Amino acid sequence: MLEHLELFFRSIFVDNMVFAVFLGMCSYLAVSKKVSTAVGLGAAVIFVLGVTVPLNWLLDQYLLQEGALVWLGPEYADYDLGFLSFILFIATIATMVQLVEIVVEKFSPSLYNSLGIFLPLIAVNCAILGGSLFMQAREIPNIGLALNYGISSGIGWFLAILAIAAIREKIRYSNVPAPLRGLGITFIITGLMGIGFQSFGGMLTGDNEPPEEAQTTTVETKEDKKIKKEIEDKEKAISYNEAINK
């Protein structure tokens, strides 16, 4: 349970697709002028990542890794189809994006029109492919964590585009210097938001306990003080006895 929670919050805040690795910046900048449009695209990204990452995990575990085909028989144990990762991952993503496009066009034509070309372009959105590649690189052990990683990565991207869309709607009424209007001020705000999201890393990596070296040093210092005190007590006792004898 703790492993799932840590992966969930780390994927949203610390390893955010936009603010940590700058993936999906094209649609992030182009479709973030209105909150309503950003919400629609963000929901689509969550769905696509939530479906494609576990599916690609299955492909990676039972087809692409070296020795993954052993379930077909011992004669296939030495096969390595890792060179097909990009092709199969993108094929899975394109299939899911096509499904999303059909559903959105059927049930929300206005959202479909507002998203325009960027909805089918989710298929080549580097954030979507990045989710599957990061899943593969991190060697996520089971499909439950893969599903968790896909959904949490999508939520992180959703929060990023929703936040910048809300800010861009309000900033229209602000007195922004002419050279920074448009993408200029958007990049600056994105950088500041990235710094803010990275600060959440302390929630997961922070540790109140001192390092082992510091603890060892502390113990040694106390032992040294104890030995020093014993020596001083012995010296005082000897000096006292000498004074009595004299």
Side-chain angles (χ1 to χ4, degrees):
M1 185 64 181
L2 290 176
E3 188 179 8
H4 281 270
L5 287 175
E6 181 180 355
L7 180 64
F8 182 80
F9 287 109
R10 179 176 289 278
S11 301
I12 293 176
F13 297 109
V14 183
D15 299 330
N16 188 284
M17 285 289 185
V18 175
F19 299 133
V21 289
F22 304 106
L23 295 180
M25 293 296 292
C26 179
S27 51
Y28 167 80
L29 294 172
V31 194
S32 59
K33 296 179 181 179
K34 292 183 179 180
V35 171
S36 58
T37 307
V39 168
L41 185 62
V45 168
I46 292 174
F47 175 79
V48 173
L49 275 171
V51 174
T52 56
V53 170
L55 285 178
N56 287 333
W57 183 88
L58 291 172
L59 288 175
D60 184 56
Q61 292 292 317
Y62 297 104
L63 187 62
L64 299 175
Q65 288 186 10
E66 184 178 359
L69 294 176
V70 69
W71 55 276
L72 291 175
E75 64 272 16
Y76 297 97
D78 296 331
Y79 282 74
D80 184 3
L81 301 180
F83 63 93
L84 295 175
S85 295
F86 282 93
I87 297 174
L88 292 180
F89 286 178
I90 291 175
T92 304
I93 291 168
T95 303
M96 290 301 104
V97 169
Q98 188 64 35
L99 177 62
V100 170
E101 187 178 0
I102 293 172
V103 172
V104 172
E105 185 179 12
K106 175 70 175 178
F107 295 101
S108 183
S110 59
L111 177 60
Y112 178 82
N113 293 329
S114 62
L115 291 175
I117 191 63
F118 291 98
L119 183 57
L121 282 181
I122 293 178
V124 291
N125 188 336
C126 51
I128 306 296
L129 181 60
S132 295
L133 294 179
F134 288 148
M135 170 274 300
Q136 186 184 45
R138 295 180 181 187
E139 299 179 349
I140 290 180
N142 57 65
I143 193 171
L145 286 173
L147 176 63
N148 184 346
Y149 180 71
I151 293 175
S152 56
S153 297
I155 292 174
W157 198 91
F158 171 79
L159 290 177
I161 194 172
L162 179 63
I164 196 65
I167 293 173
R168 290 181 76 176
E169 279 193 356
K170 297 296 182 181
I171 210 169
R172 294 176 187 173
Y173 308 103
S174 302
N175 187 19
V176 180
L180 294 178
R181 289 173 187 169
L183 290 179
I185 191 65
T186 303
F187 274 115
I188 293 173
I189 294 171
T190 300
L192 294 174
M193 292 171 65
I195 294 173
F197 269 66
Q198 288 297 302
S199 66
F200 286 103
M203 297 171 59
L204 299 174
T205 60
D207 192 355
N208 294 326
E209 297 181 0
E212 293 183 0
E213 295 181 359
Q215 290 179 340
T216 305
T217 305
T218 304
V219 172
E220 291 177 355
T221 303
K222 290 181 178 179
E223 291 294 332
D224 291 341
K225 289 181 178 179
K226 185 177 180 181
I227 294 171
K228 187 177 179 181
K229 186 177 180 181
E230 289 178 355
I231 293 173
E232 289 178 353
D233 291 341
K234 289 181 179 179
E235 290 177 352
K236 288 180 180 179
I238 292 172
S239 300
Y240 181 73
N241 293 331
E242 289 177 353
I244 293 176
N245 292 330
K246 290 180 180 180

